[in-house]
Amino acid sequence: MLQLKVKIIDYGFSDSLKRYYVTYKVTGLTGEELNKLEGLLEDPITIKGNELYMNVYFEEEYYPFGTGDSKNRLEDYLAREELEMTAYLLDLLEDD
């Protein structure tokens, strides 16, 4: 049983890069799955032990936490983004 878990650990605007970002921490992956994702993901990633950290950068209009509604319902927006990333990663892992 896959134990993949995605958690948003940081988000905001990077002054140095002049871009919006979301940082995801992905746990519960096997070494084989980590290697596979490392080869497939285009976003900058870091692997520490069996944890994968991924930065995803957004143009302002696509940044998921840039609306007034997202500020009022932040927990909902965080949960939705985590679910979407989980589905995306599972999809990558299932494709052979």
Side-chain angles (χ1 to χ4, degrees), residues 12-21 44 55-59:
F13 184 78
S14 167
D15 289 328
S16 62
L17 296 172
K18 304 287 186 241
R19 296 179 78 186
Y20 289 89
Y21 69 92
N55 288 324
V56 179
Y57 297 98
F58 296 90
E59 299 300 323

Side-chain angles (χ1 to χ4, degrees), residues 56-67:
V56 179
Y57 297 98
F58 296 90
E59 299 300 323
E60 184 174 6
E61 61 267 25
Y62 299 112
Y63 180 61
F65 307 117
T67 65

Side-chain angles (χ1 to χ4, degrees), residues 8-13 21-23 63 65 74 78:
I8 293 175
I9 58 171
D10 195 17
Y11 60 90
F13 184 78
Y21 69 92
V22 176
T23 303
Y63 180 61
F65 307 117
L74 184 59
L78 288 169

Side-chain angles (χ1 to χ4, degrees), residues 4-63:
L4 177 76
K5 183 166 172 41
V6 174
K7 184 79 181 147
I8 293 175
I9 58 171
D10 195 17
Y11 60 90
F13 184 78
S14 167
D15 289 328
S16 62
L17 296 172
K18 304 287 186 241
R19 296 179 78 186
Y20 289 89
Y21 69 92
V22 176
T23 303
Y24 300 88
K25 176 183 175 183
V26 184
T27 57
L29 295 167
T30 66
E32 184 180 322
E33 291 165 337
L34 282 169
N35 288 338
K36 184 172 183 179
L37 288 176
E38 189 174 22
L40 292 172
L41 291 169
E42 296 175 10
D43 298 297
I45 64 167
T46 304
I47 295 176
K48 295 180 185 168
N50 63 347
E51 298 173 343
L52 183 144
Y53 296 84
M54 177 173 44
N55 288 324
V56 179
Y57 297 98
F58 296 90
E59 299 300 323
E60 184 174 6
E61 61 267 25
Y62 299 112
Y63 180 61

